[in-house]
Amino acid sequence: MSKKITVNPVLQAIMNEAPVEDADRQEYFIAIAKKEVERLKKEAGRDMTCCVNTFGCQMNARDSEKILGVLEMAGYVESQDEHADFVIYNTCTVRENACNRVYGRLGYLSTLKKKNDYMKIALCGCMMQEEHVRKKIHSSYPFVDLVFGTHNIYQFAELLVMALYSNYQVVEVIEGNEKIVEELPIVRKYAYKSGVNITFGCNNFCSYCIVPYVRGREKSREPKDILREIEKLAADGVVEVMLLGQNVNSYGKGLQDPITFAELLREVEKIDGIERIRFMTSHPKDLSDDLIDVMAKSKKICRHLHLPVQSGSSRILKIMNRHYDREHYLNLVKKIREKLPDVALTTDIIVGFPGETEEDFADTLSLVREVEYDSAFTFIYSKRTGTPAATMPDQVPEDVVKERFDRLLKVVQEISEKKAMVYEGTDVTVLVETVNEQNPALVTGRMSNNSIVHFPGNKELIGTLVSVHLDECKGFYYLGTQN
Ligand code: 5AD
Ligand code: SF4
């Protein structure tokens, strides 16, 4: 049964009067959303609640903070789950199971919506950049009120107003990331740490990966905008920043005054109040000697490098279009370990890329043994329509991939457990993040190398750096005592 589409004349008038300039325009829409939410609150006799559910990577997590920022400014109160009046899923399409999880949950949302006349459902993020997804949402999930893409986040206030005043599915997806809009309201999930975007998009076109198609071409933010944002965060009590980009090592290319990632880090280091600097993700083809030197000299840059290898076979790396081979990667690791002996190395590995033979897989296993990663994210290759790998011959049978995946996981876990043990009995600095969920007498924090530590303490410690003695290693975390 299709719903009759009527363009609300009130919305028409609102749109006609909207300012053209971006910042003014979004401010205008926030004010309108605020009035409407206020009206709905009075009518319902209760608060209007919202739920932002994030799938996927740190980029999406950061976008979600921007979405929540606008929703809270409009008067919504965050709820713990999807029993809310505005539910938004920020989706990921990097692997098929991330997409299936979203479709699966939409059925559940439809039952919630039947019980709540005020409920609006929105979908955004990487999946929405794909036309076949939008078609499917339109035909099979007509109860979804709003669909928008990764480049529309800055317009969210406007889209929210459109959804509030419409009785049809509002769809707004920009294809390219031509502009970067600064100064959006943001609600940070944590008081003491924050992600900071430094680049958007990706130019690498690894042959298995959908990201360049859904996030667009790589674009760097101006260093002055990044530094100003971090200064503001520091003034607001943030002590740890995570610089975010699909490939942070190519930061600065294409700017009017090009600057390297290493140079940017030197500037971030100077900002008072910032105690820890993290970044993600590094591409092995672009990681410079200068970056290793900056890290070695730095007091603030954390001793952690996430350096996705994807495969240990030079033959597969070539077909993956990664622009490095096994030898280059291993040399890079050697250089890093020489200059940063205490760095934790983590990685991403894909198993079952088209054409992967037992010999190629053996190369991956031997590389993992040689590098001895502190931890590794292991993925089963997922065919993404539109990428070159999707149509490559010799897709590996599912049972073969599964068996290889299990073997890899075992090796990865054995090594991580062994590596974790080395800090037992030592004193380390921990940034306290939360009160422990299972045991409120404990607090949980992270070491510079990202290892998790639990120790007796209270919520006053959150956001502070504390010296902790590591009494016992429990595999993936430590139990300690404050010194
Ligand atoms: N299949 C499996 N894993 C993938 N990744 C990206 N695309 C795919 C895919 N099609 C993994 C890569 C990347 C991480 C974020 O996701 O390992 O580093
Ligand atoms: Fe995908 Fe490769 Fe870009 Fe990473 S560098 S986002 S794996 S295309």
Side-chain angles (χ1 to χ4, degrees):
M1 206 177 48
S2 68
K3 214 163 31 171
K4 189 167 176 286
I5 292 182
T6 46
V7 177
N8 184 337
V10 179
L11 178 61
Q12 196 64 63
I14 291 171
M15 300 307 286
N16 288 346
E17 280 173 32
V20 177
E21 199 272 317
D22 281 325
D24 294 345
R25 190 172 173 93
Q26 297 316 308
E27 214 171 279
Y28 165 84
F29 282 110
I30 287 178
I32 291 184
K34 209 169 164 176
K35 261 197 214 147
E36 179 60 5
V37 170
E38 197 50 46
R39 189 189 70 75
L40 293 170
K41 261 169 76 175
K42 279 208 187 99
E43 189 183 288
R46 60 173 175 80
D47 277 337
M48 287 285 116
T49 55
C50 68
C51 166
V52 183
N53 198 344
T54 311
F55 296 78
C57 66
Q58 302 275 353
M59 297 278 180
N60 271 13
R62 186 70 180 145
D63 285 348
S64 289
E65 290 184 329
K66 294 175 187 164
I67 291 166
L68 186 61
V70 171
L71 286 168
E72 291 200 346
M73 282 185 76
Y76 283 98
V77 178
E78 192 181 9
S79 84
Q80 286 316 303
D81 60 27
E82 288 121 318
H83 290 85
D85 302 297
F86 191 95
V87 176
I88 178 160
Y89 284 176
N90 190 359
T91 64
C92 169
T93 184
V94 89
R95 283 171 295 275
E96 196 179 359
N97 56 7
C99 303
N100 290 340
R101 270 169 49 219
V102 169
Y103 289 128
R105 295 224 37 104
L106 279 176
Y108 169 62
L109 285 192
S110 123
T111 59
L112 292 182
K113 191 170 180 177
K114 284 187 187 121
K115 293 183 215 151
N116 177 2
D117 287 343
Y118 291 96
M119 187 170 176
K120 294 276 180 189
I121 299 172
L123 297 174
C124 67
C126 295
M127 269 174 85
M128 300 308 127
Q129 293 294 135
E130 297 183 279
E131 198 184 349
H132 69 94
V133 171
R134 299 198 294 270
K135 280 191 179 148
K136 183 166 170 171
I137 302 288
H138 187 74
S139 57
S140 307
Y141 304 91
F143 56 85
V144 171
D145 300 283
L146 171 63
V147 169
F148 61 96
T150 51
H151 312 305
N152 302 87
I153 303 279
Y154 78 95
Q155 299 172 311
F156 176 59
E158 176 169 355
L159 299 170
L160 172 65
V161 166
M162 286 165 80
L164 287 172
Y165 283 93
S166 305
N167 72 341
Y168 53 88
Q169 194 170 88
V170 176
V171 181
E172 206 51 63
V173 175
I174 300 175
E175 292 297 339
N177 56 345
E178 288 311 307
K179 58 180 175 187
I180 294 175
V181 179
E182 300 287 343
E183 308 282 350
L184 286 175
I186 292 184
V187 171
R188 289 199 320 275
K189 205 163 171 190
Y190 305 94
Y192 56 89
K193 69 170 179 180
S194 178
V196 174
N197 297 110
I198 65 165
T199 66
F200 297 97
C202 182
N203 282 352
N204 293 307
F205 289 95
C206 301
S207 61
Y208 50 82
C209 185
I210 194 88
V211 168
Y213 306 89
V214 295
R215 287 262 171 193
R217 291 295 67 70
E218 181 181 286
K219 218 164 186 300
S220 296
R221 280 177 74 194
E222 287 292 338
K224 66 169 177 11
D225 291 332
I226 296 170
L227 297 172
R228 197 173 52 193
E229 179 177 345
I230 299 175
E231 279 160 10
K232 274 194 195 159
L233 289 168
D236 211 19
V238 166
V239 289
E240 178 178 304
V241 285
M242 163 84 93
L243 308 181
L244 297 171
Q246 304 294 348
N247 174 9
V248 289
N249 306 96
S250 63
Y251 171 77
K253 287 182 190 155
L255 287 174
Q256 235 175 15
D257 299 312
I259 140 170
T260 66
F261 180 53
E263 285 160 358
L264 178 74
L265 280 172
R266 283 195 193 99
E267 294 305 312
V268 177
E269 174 109 18
K270 290 180 196 156
I271 298 175
D272 281 340
I274 297 297
E275 308 277 359
R276 276 185 172 182
I277 305 166
R278 297 184 185 277
F279 52 85
M280 204 175 227
T281 292
S282 287
H283 195 308
K285 80 177 166 66
D286 295 315
L287 197 145
S288 67
D289 290 351
D290 197 19
L291 173 65
I292 303 174
D293 286 339
V294 170
M295 287 183 78
K297 287 196 193 106
S298 169
K299 298 235 171 349
K300 296 184 177 178
I301 303 174
C302 288
R303 292 298 187 250
H304 175 206
L305 253 180
H306 185 64
L307 197 60
V309 67
Q310 313 298 359
S311 168
S313 152
S314 292
R315 194 183 75 81
I316 292 290
L317 286 169
K318 190 157 181 48
I319 321 174
M320 283 178 163
N321 197 30
R322 291 287 291 173
H323 294 281
Y324 56 86
D325 59 12
R326 177 189 174 93
E327 201 191 349
H328 172 91
Y329 189 92
L330 287 173
N331 277 335
L332 188 57
V333 168
K334 201 165 146 231
K335 256 194 287 187
I336 294 167
R337 291 233 193 268
E338 270 165 18
K339 296 223 168 142
L340 299 160
D342 55 347
V343 79
L345 274 178
T346 59
T347 200
D348 294 342
I349 302 167
I350 297 177
V351 182
F353 182 82
E356 183 189 76
T357 62
E358 184 53 36
E359 203 185 336
D360 294 317
F361 178 67
D363 281 347
T364 298
L365 281 183
S366 78
L367 182 134
V368 168
R369 289 207 171 93
E370 195 167 335
V371 176
E372 297 202 307
Y373 291 106
D374 292 76
S375 74
F377 295 101
T378 50
F379 304 108
I380 285 181
Y381 167 71
S382 171
K383 199 194 254 191
R384 308 313 293 133
T385 310
T387 62
T391 49
M392 283 181 187
D394 304 325
Q395 302 278 329
V396 186
E398 218 178 294
D399 55 335
V400 176
V401 182
K402 185 76 188 52
E403 189 272 335
R404 284 181 193 163
F405 181 82
D406 291 344
R407 265 194 287 158
L408 174 63
L409 199 63
K410 229 175 121 203
V411 174
V412 162
Q413 282 172 352
E414 269 168 28
I415 296 172
S416 331
E417 276 173 42
K418 186 183 98 181
K419 297 275 293 189
M421 295 300 286
V422 300
Y423 291 103
E424 201 176 76
T426 63
D427 292 328
V428 296
T429 306
V430 171
L431 174 64
V432 182
E433 303 204 338
T434 49
V435 171
N436 190 287
E437 272 177 26
Q438 269 90 42
N439 180 353
L442 299 179
V443 289
T444 299
R446 277 174 204 272
M447 291 159 51
S448 168
N449 74 4
N450 218 26
S451 296
I452 291 175
V453 182
H454 307 295
F455 64 95
N458 57 41
K459 69 175 193 310
E460 311 304 320
L461 291 174
I462 292 176
T464 62
L465 289 158
V466 176
S467 168
V468 176
H469 183 76
L470 301 176
D471 301 314
E472 197 185 349
C473 173
K474 289 281 197 180
F476 295 106
Y477 62 90
Y478 288 95
L479 291 178
T481 351
Q482 191 175 346
N483 283 316

